[in-house]
């Protein structure tokens, strides 16, 4: 299944375009993008950074622990279950989930055999979506009951279980939180009257919890977040270590643009910081999201009184938000909207 995406986004003279997008299965999406025209060397700079951000900076959701009092140890077998306990844990590791979870939550499987247990049998909170409900977990061949408690976590990178983590019938599961399976980039050079330029080709494969275009957006946003602190530095405060002369900066279009927009830098930064990056509890985060508050800038458009009017919001929730704003950003919310 393939289609052409004609959407083009312009930034200065640069253009990016999705030239191919397809779903090979529920657990394998593919997208191919181009960015041009770039100066010689820029394609490598962007390609390396985007590949690292796509593979390492995007959060994913996984099952990280399973618990059942009837299981003596990981490598045991149970009469009436076709798979060993180890095989069941490996099948749970492969379940693909999508969520807006903040931290961890609990889920469960409770099935009476004979039955063929799939991901559809997982009872999970509404904030967790199962991408492929046909994913196999276990086969019950006898009229026995299998109940497994699960811990679901949203994180990034890897989580490797350790031998001393096995206790009270609770088994940690190796988690690969990365929703991007693979990234390739290639560079094509071409000549123009103004000299040689480059086109960056970027290929992205995901596990289905994100589309390649969503992954590209998340990776770009996370890269921007990493560099925003450098934009807060006042130009007159940049000094060399051994004297008081200002660090010489090579004139560029980007620098001129940043200097021109210096007064708006803080506002832009706040717009790029999403509330799921703060230390808010999941319940508070979900309340804000239901009120269409997604970024820090959205939050600052409200007063304490506005927050208290939100459904399920409590005075301690407002206090928590005020503490976070004061601690990390030095900002206060007005008590009432002017």
């Amino acid at each position: 299944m393939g289609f052409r995406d004609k959407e083009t986004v312009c930034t200065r003279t640069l253009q990016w375009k999705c030239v191919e997008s397809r779903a090979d299965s529920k657990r394998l999406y593919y997208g191919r993008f181009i960015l041009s025209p770039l100066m010689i060397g820029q394609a490598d700079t962007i390609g390396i950074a985007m590949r690292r951000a796509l593979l390492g900076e995007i959060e994913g959701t996984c099952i990280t622990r399973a618990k059942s009092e009837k299981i003596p140890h990981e490598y045991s077998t149970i009469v009436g279950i076709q798979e060993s306990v180890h095989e069941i844990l490996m099948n749970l590791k492969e379940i693909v989930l999508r969520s807006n979870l903040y931290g961890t939550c609990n889920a469960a499987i409770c099935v009476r055999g004979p039955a063929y247990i799939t991901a559809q049998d997982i009872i999970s909170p509404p904030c967790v979506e199962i991408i492929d409900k046909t994913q196999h977990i276990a086969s019950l061949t006898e009229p026995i009951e299998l109940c497994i408690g699960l811990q679901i976590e949203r994180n990034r990178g890897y989580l490797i279980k350790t031998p001393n983590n096995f206790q009270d019938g609770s088994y940690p599961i190796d988690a690969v939180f990365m929703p991007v399976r693979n990234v390739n980039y290639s560079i094509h050079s071409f000549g123009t009257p103004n000299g040689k330029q480059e086109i960056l080709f970027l290929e992205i494969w995901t596990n289905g919890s994100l589309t390649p275009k969503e992954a590209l957006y998340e990776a770009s946003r996370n890269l921007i977040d990493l560099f925003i602190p450098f934009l807060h530095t006042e130009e007159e405060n940049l000094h060399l270590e051994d004297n008081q002369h200002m660090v010489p900066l090579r004139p560029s279009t980007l620098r001129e643009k940043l200097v021109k927009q210096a007064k708006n830098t803080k506002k832009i930064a706040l717009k790029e910081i999403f509330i799921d990056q703060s230390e808010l509890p999941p319940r508070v985060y979900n309340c804000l999201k239901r009120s269409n508050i997604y970024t820090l800038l959205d939050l600052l458009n409200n007063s304490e009184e506005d927050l208290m009017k939100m459904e399920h919001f409590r005075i301690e929730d407002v206090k928590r938000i005020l503490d976070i704003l004061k601690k990390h950003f030095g900002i206060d919310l007005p008590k009432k909207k002017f």
Side-chain angles (χ1 to χ4, degrees), residues 48-72:
I48 292 170
M50 286 305 302
R51 187 175 191 277
R52 291 185 63 88
L54 283 161
L55 292 173
E57 296 297 328
I58 302 179
E59 291 189 343
T61 305
C62 292
I63 297 171
T64 55
R65 188 172 287 272
K67 183 175 183 179
S68 177
E69 295 177 356
K70 294 182 179 180
I71 299 175

Side-chain angles (χ1 to χ4, degrees), residues 81-313:
I81 302 180
Q82 187 171 309
E83 293 81 6
S84 68
V85 173
H86 178 73
E87 289 173 325
I88 294 174
L89 293 176
M90 291 302 98
N91 290 338
L92 290 172
K93 176 183 175 179
E94 297 300 319
I95 302 294
V96 178
L97 304 171
R98 177 185 176 119
S99 78
N100 57 4
L101 190 64
Y102 185 86
T104 64
C105 72
N106 295 322
I109 299 171
C110 198
V111 178
R112 185 167 184 81
Y116 183 80
I117 303 175
T118 65
Q120 186 173 359
D121 297 302
I122 298 175
I123 304 167
S124 60
C127 63
V128 177
E129 177 188 354
I130 300 168
I131 299 302
D132 184 2
K133 295 186 177 181
T134 65
Q135 278 186 268
H136 175 66
I137 296 175
S139 299
L140 305 185
T141 58
E142 303 289 340
I144 63 170
E145 189 172 64
L146 177 65
C147 290
I148 303 175
L150 304 174
Q151 177 181 281
I152 295 174
E153 182 177 343
R154 180 180 169 91
N155 211 322
R156 65 183 184 91
Y158 297 92
L159 179 64
I160 307 300
K161 65 185 179 185
T162 54
N164 59 357
N165 260 344
F166 297 82
Q167 54 186 358
D168 302 327
S170 178
Y171 301 93
I173 299 173
D174 288 342
V176 182
F177 293 105
M178 302 181 300
V180 176
R181 288 187 172 187
N182 193 20
V183 180
N184 283 338
Y185 78 90
S186 57
I187 301 167
H188 172 70
S189 298
F190 63 97
T192 69
N194 297 324
K196 276 196 171 184
Q197 293 184 325
E198 295 178 337
I199 300 176
L200 174 67
F201 291 84
L202 194 63
E203 295 181 289
I204 303 171
W205 290 262
T206 71
N207 66 359
S209 62
L210 287 179
T211 66
K213 188 181 289 187
E214 288 174 326
L216 189 61
Y217 171 81
E218 287 289 328
S220 301
R221 194 188 82 187
N222 290 340
L223 273 178
I224 291 169
D225 288 345
L226 289 174
F227 286 106
I228 278 177
F230 295 106
L231 300 182
H232 292 169
T233 306
E234 296 286 344
E235 193 172 346
E236 59 267 23
N237 290 336
L238 294 173
H239 295 93
L240 293 173
E241 291 182 2
D242 54 352
N243 58 46
Q244 293 300 308
H245 295 293
M246 186 169 293
V247 174
L249 296 176
R250 180 171 170 262
S252 67
T253 306
L254 178 59
R255 176 174 172 268
E256 291 170 3
K257 185 176 179 181
L258 289 176
V259 171
K260 185 177 179 181
Q261 295 181 347
K263 293 182 180 179
N264 296 324
T265 301
K266 188 173 182 179
K267 186 175 181 180
I268 294 170
L270 296 176
K271 188 177 180 180
E272 296 293 344
I273 300 175
F274 287 70
I275 58 171
D276 59 356
Q277 298 168 271
S278 61
E279 301 168 353
L280 294 173
R283 188 182 61 77
V284 177
Y285 164 71
N286 289 328
C287 286
L288 292 173
K289 188 177 176 184
R290 281 194 294 268
S291 299
N292 296 318
I293 297 175
Y294 299 98
T295 68
L296 202 56
L297 191 60
D298 295 336
L299 181 59
L300 296 179
N301 287 330
N302 292 269
S303 65
E304 293 182 33
E305 188 178 57
D306 294 330
L307 295 181
M308 284 303 300
K309 290 178 181 177
M310 292 181 188
E311 189 177 3
H312 305 306
F313 233 70

